[in-house]
Amino acid sequence: MSGEPVLRLAGIESRYGERVIHAGIDLEVRRGEILALVGGSGAGKTTLLREMILLRSPEGGEIELFGQRFGAGRTLSAREETGLRQRMGVLFQSGALFGGLNVLENVALPLSEHTHLPTSLIRQLAMLKIELTGLPPEAASLYPSELSGGMRKRAALARALALDPELLFLDEPGSGLDPVSARAIDHLVGRLRDALALTVILVTHDLTSVDLIADRVALLGEGRLLAVDTPAALREHPDPNVRAFFSQTEALA
Ligand SMILES: Nc1ncnc2c1ncn2[C@@H]1O[C@H](COP(=O)(O)OP(=O)(O)OP(=O)(O)O)[C@@H](O)[C@H]1O
């Protein structure tokens, strides 16, 4: 993976009141790669994810997304923000599907909000995304409460892909799933990355998932990035804290 960076973090500082969560994070995410963001509970993964998806502004430092810079010193205009949002898809941990809408309506929603396409075309595009995520066509008319955990993740993924994003954020995609379903989601993410030339940022606790699909891993701890490298290299890393993260996490798994 040697694509140009689509996302760059420079000196990111994040605080809640007096509490420092990030004390200077530098990271580049290259086009076409799957980068896993890992770290102990409370390390600040979700906070960093929220900053990357424009839901939170860092207290210091700068983010460059698709060449556009923003952060503590520069806020985006509403128009710039909308432009960036349309180029990224987010799969939230909860799935965040609307319970009152069926799968087709959930997946069609971003298309009806952000495009002026005719309804019939929106339905066709939504069906395409539903099928891309491995759901059977019959699932389109089901409501979230009628889906299994794995199907719910797939439906949420179909919605995240609705606007053909270049960059996909996945927050704990395997959470709440049995190991077989979690591995199926990993394989799906890997296939979608290849088929759609996506760049993927994956926040996870699941090291099996990291080994299966991540090209690189960024390990957060002590307010900084302790290491960024391939999963194999991090297991052999010279810093014992980095190696310890992997052995402790594996011992707990
Ligand atoms: N809105 C908030 N206000 C105050 N403190 C917060 C807020 N959100 C998160 N924190 C604190 O910031 C720290 C980092 O939280 P964050 O959720 O980013 O970590 P995480 O690595 O995603 O953790 P986990 O793996 O447990 O989800 C935690 O100690 C958390 O309690």
Side-chain angles (χ1 to χ4, degrees):
M1 288 297 140
S2 57
E4 82 275 19
V6 291
L7 176 68
R8 218 184 245 138
L9 308 180
I12 294 297
E13 296 172 8
S14 314
R15 287 186 289 277
Y16 293 112
E18 294 292 296
R19 178 125 187 261
V20 175
I21 309 299
H22 305 128
I25 304 279
D26 299 309
L27 177 68
E28 281 190 359
V29 183
R30 303 164 191 159
R31 188 174 291 280
E33 77 172 330
I34 299 182
L35 180 115
L37 183 60
V38 302
S41 191
K45 302 179 294 296
T46 305
T47 302
L48 198 60
L49 175 75
R50 288 173 57 80
E51 290 167 354
M52 294 189 282
I53 62 176
L54 313 175
L55 289 181
R56 181 182 196 282
S57 188
E59 277 67 30
E62 195 175 69
I63 300 177
E64 187 181 321
L65 183 55
F66 302 119
Q68 197 135 31
R69 292 180 182 194
F70 55 96
R74 186 185 187 285
T75 44
L76 294 166
S77 68
R79 192 193 171 93
E80 287 170 330
E81 200 172 310
T82 305
L84 287 178
R85 279 187 199 286
Q86 290 187 9
R87 297 175 71 179
M88 57 189 182
V90 185
L91 173 65
F92 291 99
Q93 191 169 347
S94 59
L97 292 168
F98 293 104
L101 302 181
N102 68 24
V103 170
L104 182 73
E105 290 161 345
N106 263 286
V107 178
L109 200 60
L111 288 158
S112 31
E113 276 180 356
H114 294 284
T115 73
H116 300 289
L117 296 168
T119 311
S120 61
L121 200 53
I122 287 181
R123 290 177 69 88
Q124 284 179 45
L125 288 170
M127 279 310 293
L128 188 79
K129 300 292 147 94
I130 289 168
E131 289 181 38
L132 257 180
T133 58
L135 284 170
E138 315 82 80
S141 58
L142 298 178
Y143 286 83
S145 61
E146 299 173 304
L147 304 174
S148 69
M151 290 171 86
R152 225 172 286 146
K153 295 278 181 186
R154 285 171 196 266
L157 193 50
R159 195 178 61 187
L161 295 172
L163 294 173
D164 292 326
E166 293 158 66
L167 179 57
L168 182 64
F169 292 90
L170 306 174
D171 189 7
E172 298 283 0
S175 73
L177 300 182
D178 62 82
V180 173
S181 307
R183 294 299 73 84
I185 295 291
D186 288 335
H187 286 117
L188 174 63
V189 170
R191 282 202 307 276
L192 288 172
R193 183 273 298 267
D194 295 343
L196 304 175
L198 293 168
T199 305
V200 180
I201 298 177
L202 165 73
V203 172
T204 187
H205 283 103
D206 183 345
L207 293 183
T208 308
S209 181
V210 167
D211 281 329
L212 275 175
I213 60 168
D215 299 302
R216 293 193 306 147
V217 188
L219 172 61
L220 260 180
E222 302 160 21
R224 60 197 176 92
L225 278 182
L226 297 174
V228 186
D229 212 327
T230 62
L234 287 203
R235 286 203 162 71
E236 305 293 325
H237 199 274
D239 180 347
N241 291 327
V242 173
R243 294 198 305 276
F245 172 79
F246 285 89
S247 48
Q248 281 169 19
T249 312
E250 272 154 357
L252 292 173

